[in-house]
Amino acid sequence: MLVGSRMSHPVIAINPETPIHDAIALFKKEHIRRAPVIKDGKLVGIVSETDLINASPSPVSTLSIWEMNYLLSKVTVKQVMSKKVLSVAEDTPIEEAARIMADNKIGGLPVLRGAKVVGIITETDLFKIFTELMGARDKGVRVTAILDNKPGELAKITKAVANAGGNFLAFGQFAGEDPSTQLITFKVTGLKKDEVKKAIWSIAKEVWDIRVS
């Protein structure tokens, strides 16, 4: 899965000369929390809802509403935006975009086609992908188990479930508590909870959780 297939587009961009009062109104209207800042077709920054709020007068300020509006009209996006922008290309693997966002503690990345911004990939897009990967919207038997971290163990589990008549809706593999183990979470249909338990019990090192969800 590549970023280009799951990014939000067309992108809602903003001009660096836009007053933050107008930028806040745009964010509310479009229900967005960040936007790339584009000047003459080029990416020059990114601004978040937090950037705009932090630049606004405090609600407990002694300034009058007219004074606040006057001050806001003088502050533009270019004064509060982040100028060092991390971005990704359309053909970037989705997990690479997620790693960049996690490592840098950011909530979104502009997506480029050459030098042109063609979309944005955000934490919300990643959450949607995660719910799909884990079958969160589908009914089935969900299992979390520990396997030995050695070749063939995953094949044993999938074969056992398939031989019992189960159909996998989702399958995730994660690091175990130590290098000798791996944690798996999967969801299947076509079997009852006890039938899934019976199929995997002799293969899994531990079964942490098994439920219908």
Side-chain angles (χ1 to χ4, degrees):
M1 186 182 297
L2 304 180
V3 166
S5 65
R6 302 310 297 260
M7 67 185 182
S8 298
H9 66 93
V11 68
I12 299 172
I14 199 162
N15 187 283
E17 302 301 330
T18 302
I20 64 168
H21 186 278
D22 293 343
I24 291 171
L26 176 67
F27 275 41
K28 289 181 178 178
K29 177 185 176 182
E30 300 293 343
H31 305 290
I32 58 175
R33 288 184 290 179
R34 61 190 56 79
V37 184
I38 297 176
K39 182 178 182 179
D40 298 327
K42 295 183 179 180
L43 179 67
V44 295
I46 190 166
V47 66
S48 70
E49 184 179 45
T50 301
D51 295 328
L52 298 175
I53 291 173
N54 288 342
S56 303
S58 166
V60 296
S61 170
T62 57
L63 295 173
S64 69
I65 187 66
W66 296 279
E67 290 172 317
M68 287 185 183
N69 286 333
Y70 175 76
L71 289 174
L72 287 176
S73 70
K74 298 298 181 183
V75 182
T76 60
V77 166
K78 69 179 179 183
Q79 294 171 274
V80 301
M81 70 183 187
S82 298
K83 296 179 181 178
K84 293 183 178 180
V85 189
L86 294 173
S87 62
V88 291
E90 290 176 286
D91 61 354
T92 302
I94 200 73
E95 65 272 19
E96 176 65 10
R99 183 197 63 76
I100 293 171
M101 289 164 64
D103 288 352
N104 292 279
K105 297 181 175 61
I106 54 178
L109 293 166
V111 183
L112 303 183
R113 181 184 300 153
K116 182 181 179 182
V117 178
V118 292
I120 187 167
I121 188 81
T122 69
E123 55 195 3
T124 299
D125 297 316
L126 298 181
F127 291 151
K128 290 177 181 177
I129 293 167
F130 182 74
T131 61
E132 291 179 30
L133 287 174
M134 300 311 297
R137 300 187 187 281
D138 301 305
K139 193 79 169 180
V141 179
R142 183 185 185 278
V143 178
T144 300
I146 292 289
L147 300 182
D148 287 321
N149 188 17
K150 58 185 181 182
E153 292 303 294
L154 291 178
K156 290 179 184 178
I157 285 285
T158 56
K159 184 178 180 180
V161 171
N163 286 345
N167 180 49
F168 282 91
L169 288 174
F171 197 106
Q173 179 184 355
F174 310 92
E177 296 178 310
D178 60 69
S180 70
T181 62
Q182 56 186 320
L183 186 148
I184 62 169
T185 295
F186 63 86
K187 184 178 282 190
V188 299
T189 58
L191 294 173
K192 296 180 181 178
K193 185 170 74 171
D194 289 343
E195 292 173 326
V196 177
K197 184 177 180 180
K198 181 180 178 181
I200 69 169
W201 198 255
S202 62
I203 304 170
K205 190 178 182 71
E206 296 179 51
V207 176
W208 282 5
D209 181 72
I210 180 166
R211 69 180 72 185
V212 176
S213 67

